[in-house]
Amino acid sequence: MNPMFRNTILVALAAIFAAAPWALDEFSLNLVTRMLIFGIAAMGVDLLVGFAGLVPLGHAAFLGLGAYAAGILTDMGLESAFVVWPLAIMVGALGAAIIGGLSLRSSGLYFIMITLAFAQMIYYVFQSLRAYGGDDGFALTRNTFAGLIDPYDSRAFYFLTLAITLVIFLLLLRVVASPFGVALRAARDNEARLAAVGLPAFGYRLVAFILSGALCAFAGVLLANLTGYITPGYGSWPQSGELLMMVLLGTAGTIWGGLLGAAIFVALSEVLSEVSDHWMFYLGLLIVLRVLLAGGETTKLLKRLDPRRRADG
Amino acid sequence: MTFSLFVEQVFNGLQLGMLLFLVAVGVTLVFGVMNLVNLSQGALVMMGGFLLATATKATSSYWLGLPLGIAALIVIAMLIELLVLRRLYARPHIDQVLATFGLMLMFNEGAVMIWGRDPVFMAIPAALEGSVTLLPGVAYPIYRLAVTIFAGALGVALHFLISRTRLGMLIRAGADKREMIQLLGVDIAFLYLMVFCLGGVLGGVAGMLLGPISAVTTGMGDPILILALVCVVIGGLGSVGGAFVAAMLVGMCDTFGRVLLPQALGAGTGQAIANMIVYLVMAAILIWRPAGLASR
Amino acid sequence: MKSYLLGVAASVALSGAAMAQEPFRIGFLSTMSGVSGVLGQDQRRGFDLALEHLGGKIGGLPVQVVEADDKFSAADAVQQMSRLIDREKIQVITGLVASNVLMAIAKPALAKGALLISANAGPSPLAGPGCNPNLFVMSFQNDQWSTGVGKYLSDKGYKRVYFMGMNFQAGWDHTKAAIRNFTGEKVAEVYTPVDQLDFSAELSQLRAAKPDAVYAFYVGGQAIAFVKQFAQAKLDIPLFGGNGLSDPTLFEGQGDAAIGLTLGTHWSAALENPVNKKFVDGFVKAHGRLPSETAANGYDDVLMLDAAVKESGGKTTPDALREALRKVKYASIRGDWHFNTNQFPVQNIYMEQVERKPDGKLGLKFLGIAAKDVQDPYVGECKMAK
Amino acid sequence: MVEAALAARSLSKRFGSLLVTDDVSIELRAGEALGLIGPNGAGKSTLIAQLAGRLPPDSGQVLLEGRDVSALPAHARARAGLVQSFQVPSLFSSFSTLANVAIAAQAAHRHSYSFLRRADRAREYVEPARALIEEVGLSHCADRNVGALSHGERRYVELAVALAARPKALLLDEPLAGLSRAESERMIAFIGKLKKRYAILLVEHDMEAVFSLADSLCVLVQGRIIARGAPAALRADPAVIEAYLGDDASSGGAHA
């Protein structure tokens, strides 16, 4: 992509996102906010799928951890987002450190199943929290911002989410090009060789796992605030599958792919469920077809279009 | 807990373990031979239930319905393999996960489109009604006993298939020795089809056995799939023996955990830990042996 | 868009004045897909049947129903609520089959000034401190059925009863209410995970405890599995429960295992009154089986709205409807009932029993009234703002 | 006495009933090249794997500059300066030539937990990588993906990756495998220059190369060292000719 063209697109995108609150009704604005939130989670998952070559089927657990931590802390009387959000994200990161530490001793299909099993464990923890409504979940009062932002103003919340998404997006772009990111990708390509030049893959993968868990937790915090309600469903395994779908619908291995995929997925399930009660069937069909017909090819095509990727992988 | 109650609970655990084994073995075989993770196994469990219920209703006989249902299962498993899975063997794991996840969604909702949202009925066949006295004072439902024995017999048959036959030899050779198998002049595509059908039908049969004691309804296979995946992980991917040991372990832990933990730790905590006991056992085993019981 | 305009054709044929009538736009937010989709589906069937019986009109107004699927998820429910209120500009939302969904949308929807009328879910927090002038639950509060069952068990002289339930809010509400209203000995109180498949371990424990009767709260697929396994265990102990333990959506799945179950309910297909008869006959004709309790609530919901809109003189704003609903009187399929100060119903709880009808199908036998004018125990905690 | 750059003491490794490494001890000094020769299946690659830490020996020790590194995993040994190049070029397939070498240069630094600077602009990684690429004569394809290189070029990248990891002792596993005559000669000359900088263990089938590069030789047969000494002495050793060169004695002799 030549720089002129790319900058034009970026400016256009910026204009669209800035104008959105005035062009859209509240429902659509919330939908876009939701896309951004899932975009954060999907970027986190993509860090593992696309850059570390690991497929986690349990990242909804961190979405849930973030949401529950935020909800429980708020319930305990902490209201400020400046306190609750970092703590909740840290809870997600801590959970990811433990689960990642255990799961990353394996790889491939084994990793997929172990992450799934650990996520189920966390799901059952949520379900057994009687003080927090058990399976029914509990309500969360939106966190406050020291009076700077009105948390119940949809536009303000949208801009806040947009800003967070943008910062995370730019940070992740740096991270994947950083020495850490290069080590992570090198481990994906050839773990044995990386060790043979002196870098153990485990630590880099674990940090990537923690980062992606923290991002999912952040998304969980935002989603809990947007929804105002928290249920164990946030951490269910179909939700984990949906996160992977988002990565696939975008383009694994590009940070913007996570954002794009989340947007497509949220829009798709919204549209399909308005058209038919059997939307799950059509969603499944689309996923299967996407994998079968276009799976590798689109990804390859998009990679070829981006000269930077071809140069350094 | 009295001794007779203990015996009864052992039988309960055995029966749950046997059903899990049938589902898990399909997953582990497909992994071991084709290096593919199959999340649609739960859908096959559900299809087993629906197909047997429908075939039994259509023929008015469980014993006629059974072979018909199994035949239909074979057709469905073949279609899945030929139309979808076949194209995924060489693909990255994420494609496999997502395509089989998509299949799961399609089957779950497809069942609703075909059979409607109301659950369908499946009775215990008349010959297996009633209960037997295991020990004085311990009456145990014949059907549950039959399920345990039948699933156990399938397990034994599978053991012989794998250890004594040519197909078994090829299965044991596993995914790493693909070239060797090809050198033997075996049609790999046909082998894979056979293995998937075998695994799928075992899962479907588990659903058929489960039908009369559970609800034949959309999504009925999903919780079983998750437990079966846990068995596969504990047992060691690709290991049929490992899956068997793990399924028994999970069946027993689940059964006794649900009974004993609330008594020992109080209703709230005990119940919560009982829900997680299977996963806690899994975590403990993985800390001890990261690649499962069957690994060295 | 799954919305449709009813009664438009009819009004075209009428005078110009009728044509100018604004349709009554109502949001139907319920669980329409996935495993729990059966609930929303039956609720919608009842709802649609009532509209049909009223000639497509509510209170004489043409009706536009906009359906939204909450997917049994709190986050999706809030999103769909926003679609109805913010995009469709709908201020009256009904349906609401699932407790978690109602809990999730209550606060934001009420903050937007909408009127919520639950035609099924009645979680206890919303009956107590969480009550709100714009929130009506016209079906039942979780504790009510089992209040009747608990009293019935005491009245019938059972001494030792074993209590079991699903491990979530509704399970706790129902089971604990049954225990509170039972005067005999509680042998055990056992809760099982919401996705448990096999109850063999619990049933073995139950057999060993030798109770006189069992109270169980199970719904959906869990109710099928539990009731079948209970029957297969040949325990020879009577089984009691709320309406959810066995209803006509489950008859097919439960088969003969359901026969003899004794259920507490705020409405029964076996209730003898003309409105109920019209409903049940119409439903059987349209769908080939008896209606479930969720279908009944959907039907009764429309009858109640019809009366309320007439009461308000055709005004359908939340304010007008709220005032009308507070004093609404109509011929309900469940007999006389009225809203309490917390805007949950005060109503009779009946007992019914599953039996085999002469035509070979499963049906319900009416046993009588278990408790009269039952209100929920949370009403005292409700400080209703005006 | 000068400390050996790399020493192995009584390494043994058994696969089932097969003894693949049988009480092997070797020693090489800085600036010295030790040739390791032996027939196929003698256990040369297994020995390298044990030295590099990819395969744990059943018994025995590995010492790097006198320090016992036996307990260290592969990456820690590499970091300590014990670096190998692989028989089949083992590269980072989605990376460019430059990035392949740069990641090894990056690995030679203390750690890579640096998240916000661009690796491709980190001079301490890129400059040594460029220098090495120039040294192996691949500057013209520095920015090409390694998948697009020829086998011969990949061999040089393989070597450059190993060198970028800042070895003290270099384990070269058949660096000439698959190279054409002309390419081999260039590679031999290149390795000859490396000799002065590192202690080198050279496993190679090309006798001519081994005899010209190595200062001393070990002959490995069935996991055991049957002879060691200066190339000239070994060439005439009948035991070596018998055990190792065997039927190829005449051609082997002619080769040398």
Side-chain angles (χ1 to χ4, degrees), chain B residues 25-72:
Chain B
V25 79
V27 178
T28 215
L29 273 179
V30 168
F31 172 79
V33 179
M34 285 97 106
N35 198 15
L36 177 124
V37 66
N38 175 25
L39 297 181
S40 66
Q41 179 80 345
L44 286 163
V45 173
M46 176 194 74
M47 289 307 285
F50 272 110
L51 289 172
L52 180 55
T54 306
T56 302
K57 201 170 182 181
T59 59
S60 307
S61 156
Y62 181 89
W63 305 108
L64 278 177
L66 198 61
L68 272 178
I70 290 178

Side-chain angles (χ1 to χ4, degrees), chain C residues 238-256:
Chain C
L239 180 58
F240 295 82
N243 195 338
L245 188 62
S246 177
D247 72 23
T249 58
L250 305 177
F251 282 171
E252 172 69 19
Q254 289 173 333
D256 290 355

Side-chain angles (χ1 to χ4, degrees), chain C residues 26 157 164 245 316:
Chain C
I26 186 163
M164 290 185 71
L245 188 62
T316 59

Side-chain angles (χ1 to χ4, degrees), chain D:
Chain D
M1 178 187 156
V2 186
E3 192 82 73
L6 176 67
R9 303 249 171 87
S10 306
L11 287 181
S12 292
K13 179 77 190 174
R14 196 180 270 285
F15 286 140
S17 62
L18 189 67
L19 197 58
V20 285
T21 307
D22 183 2
D23 194 26
V24 169
S25 296
I26 56 166
E27 208 170 278
L28 63 151
R29 290 166 203 288
E32 182 188 280
L34 173 67
L36 183 66
I37 58 174
N40 282 332
K44 301 186 295 289
S45 288
T46 317
L47 180 60
I48 289 217
Q50 289 170 73
L51 292 172
R54 284 184 291 117
L55 188 70
D58 295 337
S59 62
Q61 286 176 305
V62 178
L63 295 109
L64 186 67
E65 296 186 321
R67 176 183 162 213
D68 188 352
V69 296
S70 309
L72 298 185
H75 66 88
R77 291 191 201 189
R79 171 142 304 164
L82 180 50
V83 178
Q84 81 161 117
S85 81
F86 290 80
Q87 188 179 348
V88 179
S90 170
L91 302 171
F92 305 103
S93 51
S94 70
F95 285 23
S96 68
T97 304
L98 181 64
N100 261 279
V101 184
I103 176 75
Q106 178 182 322
H109 283 75
R110 205 155 52 81
H111 63 76
S112 293
Y113 292 105
S114 163
F115 299 91
L116 293 179
R117 47 199 286 258
R118 288 189 56 162
D120 59 353
R121 295 201 186 140
R123 290 172 56 191
E124 68 271 37
Y125 308 156
V126 178
E127 281 179 5
R130 281 208 185 278
L132 274 167
I133 289 173
E134 195 179 338
E135 197 177 342
V136 297
L138 289 176
S139 294
H140 58 286
C141 43
D143 292 326
R144 290 220 321 253
N145 185 289
V146 284
L149 301 186
S150 72
H151 175 77
E153 287 166 334
R154 286 221 289 275
R155 273 253 154 265
Y156 277 103
V157 181
E158 170 69 38
L159 199 56
V161 169
L163 294 177
R166 294 201 204 147
K168 289 168 180 154
L170 194 54
L171 312 173
L172 300 181
D173 196 353
E174 301 197 25
L176 303 182
L179 294 187
S180 70
R181 188 87 209 155
E183 285 171 333
S184 288
E185 275 166 16
R186 253 191 70 217
M187 182 63 95
I188 291 167
F190 184 69
I191 295 173
K193 281 195 282 178
L194 293 181
K195 247 172 73 172
K196 298 181 187 66
R197 288 193 258 160
Y198 314 102
I200 292 178
L201 179 70
L202 176 68
V203 172
E204 187 47 66
H205 269 297
D206 185 328
M207 288 304 132
E208 193 177 343
V210 178
F211 280 78
S212 71
L213 284 170
D215 300 302
S216 62
L217 281 181
C218 286
V219 184
L220 196 67
V221 176
Q222 288 176 357
R224 220 156 43 78
I225 293 183
I226 59 155
R228 62 178 90 216
L234 283 188
R235 193 179 307 179
D237 188 332
V240 175
I241 295 170
E242 156 76 25
Y244 168 45
L245 301 174
D247 293 342
D248 291 338
S250 54
S251 66
H255 226 80

Side-chain angles (χ1 to χ4, degrees), chain C residues 20-34:
Chain C
Q21 268 181 337
E22 283 282 307
F24 178 21
R25 301 180 74 235
I26 186 163
F28 188 89
L29 177 62
S30 199
T31 308
M32 307 308 291
S33 61

